[in-house]
Amino acid sequence: MDGRPGPPGDRNRRDALAIRAASAAALAPATLAAAWAGGPAFAALVAFMTVLMCFEWSRMVEGRELSPAFYALAIPGAAGVVFASSGAFPAAFACCAAAGVGGAWMARRRAETAAWVAFAAPYVLAPSVALLWLREHADYGRGLTILLFAIVWSADTGAYFAGRLVGGPKLSPRISPAKTWAGAAGGFALGALAGAVGCSRIYGGEAYGAYAAMGGALGVASILGDLAESAFKRNFGIKDMSGFIPGHGGVLDRLDGMIFATAAMTAVLYAHIVISGFGG
């Protein structure tokens, strides 16, 4: 070592990584504490994030802040979270649908914009309600919710470092030039590891292969969510949804993988419950 500073690009990457890690270190414990506590604490966190996601989504789609479409999405969306926290899921999903219709009506002057605003109902609001169902009403809800966070974070970490260290062919050059197949493999591997460890603690037994497959699949769902978000931002010509989380961008930038993974886990669990009900 000659003591000279490295290239500016290296320093910038190190600084960005340090900011990213500091933000994660500050937010992760609070998120896990709320998930562990459940009840009003977790519902309040989900409601807060839901409103922020509605803000970022409507701003991206309409190109302006605090529009009527934002309020049309956020108010019934937050109400849906309140209904979900009390177990009134038909009313919660009705609120999601009303938010989509109301938001589209407020943006009706352009049909394409109205359609994008309405898409927030299944993309943003319904997964928020589903996450509350998972935490409060699914068997082993506390453990599965924390495991879901662990898998998504593990997949994100694995994808980031494998992509940086290995590089190689791009996963989807047109949508997200920075993502590689090596990164996807790293995300799958760490997601599988988190699934194997977490499910063995929750369910017991030694079905490590099945647990790892579940974790890997959710890791892939998380990566697909990241790609989808990149496609949305590329379509609207923006880099980040906002600067709310230093080093990560906006709330939707941070939760894109969580949205897809939540939808996948809750859909499979609920389908299992329905099928078991018919069989039993």
Side-chain angles (χ1 to χ4, degrees):
M1 298 289 291
D2 57 10
R4 290 179 296 178
D10 290 343
R11 292 197 300 273
N12 291 338
R13 281 192 291 271
R14 287 196 297 270
D15 291 344
L17 180 58
I19 294 171
R20 183 183 180 93
S23 295
L27 293 175
T31 301
L32 291 176
W36 181 270
F42 191 58
L45 174 64
V46 173
F48 178 60
M49 292 300 176
T50 298
V51 171
L52 289 177
M53 288 189 288
C54 288
F55 169 77
E56 292 177 353
W57 184 263
S58 61
R59 187 178 73 161
M60 176 188 73
V61 170
E62 295 188 290
R64 56 181 178 146
E65 298 181 353
L66 301 177
S67 68
F70 158 68
Y71 292 106
L73 288 174
I75 293 172
V81 171
V82 173
F83 279 120
S85 68
S86 63
F89 290 99
F93 283 112
C95 285
C96 295
V101 172
W105 176 257
M106 290 298 179
R108 65 188 181 278
R109 282 179 291 183
R110 290 191 59 199
E112 183 180 359
T113 301
W116 276 106
V117 170
F119 186 64
Y123 180 66
V124 172
L125 302 181
S128 297
V129 171
L131 184 60
L132 282 169
W133 173 83
L134 176 69
R135 172 60 185 86
E136 304 298 347
H137 294 276
D139 292 338
Y140 308 104
R142 173 191 282 170
L144 288 175
T145 302
I146 292 173
L147 175 60
L148 179 62
F149 282 111
I151 290 173
V152 171
W153 294 343
S154 296
D156 184 57
T157 301
Y160 181 84
F161 284 104
R164 291 284 184 182
L165 294 174
V166 179
K170 304 298 183 182
L171 183 62
S172 182
R174 291 183 65 251
I175 295 176
S176 184
K179 293 178 177 61
T180 65
W181 283 100
F188 174 85
L190 278 195
L193 178 62
V197 173
C199 285
S200 65
R201 295 293 300 273
I202 295 170
Y203 294 111
E206 298 181 355
Y208 299 117
Y211 297 157
M214 182 276 293
L218 290 176
V220 170
S222 174
I223 292 168
L224 291 176
D226 195 356
L227 278 176
E229 190 77 13
S230 296
F232 297 150
K233 291 187 291 187
R234 182 170 290 273
N235 180 70
F236 287 98
I238 63 173
K239 182 178 183 297
D240 293 322
M241 286 293 194
S242 73
F244 185 78
I245 306 176
H248 294 272
V251 175
L252 277 168
D253 294 307
R254 177 68 275 182
L255 296 182
D256 48 13
M258 189 72 184
I259 289 170
F260 270 51
T262 298
M265 177 181 272
T266 54
V268 170
L269 285 174
Y270 192 74
H272 175 71
I273 292 170
V274 171
I275 293 170
S276 298
F278 281 122

